[in-house]
Amino acid sequence: MNTEPEYQPETLAVHAGHLATDSVNPVAGPIVLSSTYVRDASGQLPEGYMYSRLGNPNRTALEECLAVLERGEACAAFASGSAATMAIFQSLAPGDHVLQARQTYYGTLKVAREIMERWNLEVSLVDMTDIAAVRAGFRENTKLMWIETPSNPLITLTDIAPVAAVAREHQATLVVDNTFATPLLQQPILLGADLVMHATSKYIAGHSDVVGGAVIARSATAGLFPAIRKIQTAGGAVPSPFDCWLTLRGIRTLPVRLRAQCENAARIAQWLAGNSKVHTVHYPGLSSHPWHDIAVRQMKHAGAMLSFQVTGGAEAALRIAANTRVFTRATSLGGVESLIEHRASVEQGTNTPDDLLRLSVGIEHGDDLVADLEQAMP
Ligand SMILES: *Cc1c(COP(=O)(O)O)cnc(C)c1O
């Protein structure tokens, strides 16, 4: 299909990214497992593929689809979201400074602090919701700004456009971790970001059966993307052909999955907001939420991730998680099944409140999800 951007995201999700083909014209593309490709008699590689670390048709199809959905020029797929994160950091030089949002996924902060600082990358944390603090955080050697919105696990939002403007003033690259929103709800490149990062393990693949990551770039040739591509192909943290095939298969239903997940999450957030055992609900779709205005401005919907804090502290929170029957107790997010997690238990040395539970809302019937929470917190 011609995937010019005049098509709506729902159509692009189903059709973008040419499928690997074989001689029998299947509608669902095959998985090309070969690690190496045949040269013709003149020594050329007519399809351009030589060796699967460098490129593979299933990876190309996935990368094309993600680039189109995020309105970028290029995409590099990785073996995990964290490998994508590593590649972005490694595209910088030792001595460069990264201004990173305090509101960032625990694992990303860990990569920055425990791995990248050892190769002499300077990383400092700033509250990205405070633009004065963002400006004050710049150093002469600041090359990268990292934001995550909505963020994990407190679902804080960062206003992307003004942060992008500050990044541009300082000629720094702005990265947005768009894992929680997906390109169906938020398109950071259109708001001024240079790079978008995804843990495709989550909503993009959507079925809790594959780990993967991706970096999508505004420009394929300028900025950090050429270095990121080199780290991908020479460094080799690439996803397998089957991982790519599963992830692209997941994207085909992303718009309809997300619609159901968002609808359920909004309903659950309302229900929690009216519950006397809950003292705070973190969901930007609620008009009482401090970042509701930003959600309305930069997102098509507030999404399907939410967290809430209960009266009675950690003990009460753990008891609720122990009582759920439809919500599964597990980490990760974005799959078709609803998950519940006590984040403070899995984040070492965390600031996450210990009375907080995070929900990844799935596509089950909303009545059953609300009833499950009701029986879990009588
Ligand atoms: C899961 C996650 C990551 C890391 O991705 P992995 O595939 O687990 O390495 C990064 N950012 C966010 C927001 C995530 O939820």
Side-chain angles (χ1 to χ4, degrees):
M1 184 186 105
N2 179 346
T3 51
E4 292 301 313
E6 73 255 24
Y7 289 107
Q8 296 293 329
E10 288 79 359
T11 311
L12 293 171
V14 174
H15 293 283
H18 72 79
L19 292 161
T21 53
D22 69 12
S23 54
V24 294
N25 264 346
V27 169
I31 302 169
V32 181
L33 291 172
S34 186
S35 62
T36 186
Y37 300 82
V38 181
R39 287 183 191 274
D40 65 18
S42 64
Q44 302 302 303
L45 294 157
E47 304 298 330
Y49 294 106
M50 182 173 86
Y51 180 63
S52 270
R53 169 162 48 74
L54 306 174
N56 163 278
N58 295 102
R59 199 163 90 214
T60 304
L62 172 62
E63 289 176 345
E64 285 182 0
C65 185
L66 285 171
V68 164
L69 284 174
E70 284 288 7
R71 301 290 192 248
E73 275 185 9
C75 168
F78 289 89
S80 69
S82 301
T85 298
M86 282 286 292
I88 295 170
F89 285 137
Q90 287 175 327
S91 71
L92 300 170
D96 286 349
H97 172 242
V98 178
L99 195 54
Q100 189 164 35
R102 210 172 282 287
Q103 305 86 350
T104 298
Y105 166 61
Y106 168 78
T108 304
L109 293 174
K110 192 174 163 123
V111 166
R113 281 203 206 119
E114 296 177 21
I115 302 177
M116 300 318 298
E117 281 190 346
R118 290 182 62 215
W119 87 333
N120 213 13
L121 210 63
E122 293 174 27
V123 182
S124 61
L125 300 182
V126 68
D127 178 357
M128 288 282 175
T129 64
D130 176 352
I131 221 67
V134 172
R135 283 184 193 283
F138 267 89
R139 299 177 189 171
E140 225 164 77
N141 55 341
T142 304
K143 293 286 160 54
L144 190 81
M145 290 178 76
W146 187 292
I147 63 176
E148 179 180 313
T149 180
S151 74
N152 190 4
L154 284 171
I155 327 291
T156 57
L157 299 197
T158 299
D159 201 349
I160 298 173
V163 171
V166 178
R168 215 170 309 122
E169 271 170 42
H170 291 83
Q171 293 166 343
T173 296
L174 175 64
V175 186
V176 178
D177 183 337
N178 205 28
T179 298
F180 275 29
T182 87
L184 269 296
L185 302 185
Q186 172 174 282
Q187 293 176 308
I189 288 175
L190 297 185
L191 297 169
D194 304 292
L195 298 175
V196 173
M197 177 258 154
H198 275 286
T200 54
S201 330
K202 314 293 171 54
Y203 287 99
I204 298 275
H207 294 76
S208 308
D209 52 12
V210 58
V211 171
V215 180
I216 299 99
R218 166 190 296 282
S219 167
T221 51
L224 296 178
F225 191 76
I228 291 167
R229 177 70 84 195
K230 189 187 294 176
I231 291 161
Q232 178 204 33
T233 56
V238 292
S240 76
F242 184 46
D243 290 350
C244 295
W245 185 92
L246 272 179
T247 305
L248 187 60
R249 208 251 307 242
I251 293 174
R252 301 315 191 199
T253 57
L254 173 62
V256 287
R257 282 188 276 118
L258 205 59
R259 214 174 297 146
Q261 287 166 316
C262 287
E263 198 178 296
N264 282 340
R267 178 170 166 196
I268 290 168
Q270 286 289 354
W271 181 82
L272 288 167
N275 188 303
S276 60
K277 296 185 191 76
V278 174
H279 67 82
T280 312
V281 181
H282 303 276
Y283 185 66
L286 296 173
S287 55
S288 57
H289 191 274
W291 289 286
H292 180 66
D293 288 354
I294 302 176
V296 170
R297 194 157 63 241
Q298 76 186 10
M299 299 178 75
K300 292 205 175 83
H301 190 282
M305 291 301 299
L306 62 94
S307 55
F308 62 101
Q309 291 173 253
V310 296
T311 54
E315 201 185 313
L318 287 164
R319 199 166 47 238
I320 292 165
N323 285 344
T324 58
R325 296 172 190 154
V326 181
F327 281 85
T328 302
R329 282 177 303 282
T331 197
S332 198
L333 57 112
V336 291
E337 64 287 305
S338 293
L339 302 180
I340 187 165
E341 185 172 43
H342 184 247
R343 285 298 298 173
S345 297
V346 295
E347 299 178 355
Q348 284 161 357
T350 183
N351 293 324
T352 298
D354 67 359
D355 60 357
L356 179 135
L357 288 165
R358 188 186 75 182
L359 301 181
S360 169
V361 179
I363 65 170
E364 301 94 337
H365 198 288
D367 288 353
D368 293 330
L369 294 175
V370 170
D372 190 38
L373 291 173
E374 223 158 19
Q375 69 78 28
M377 43 202 295

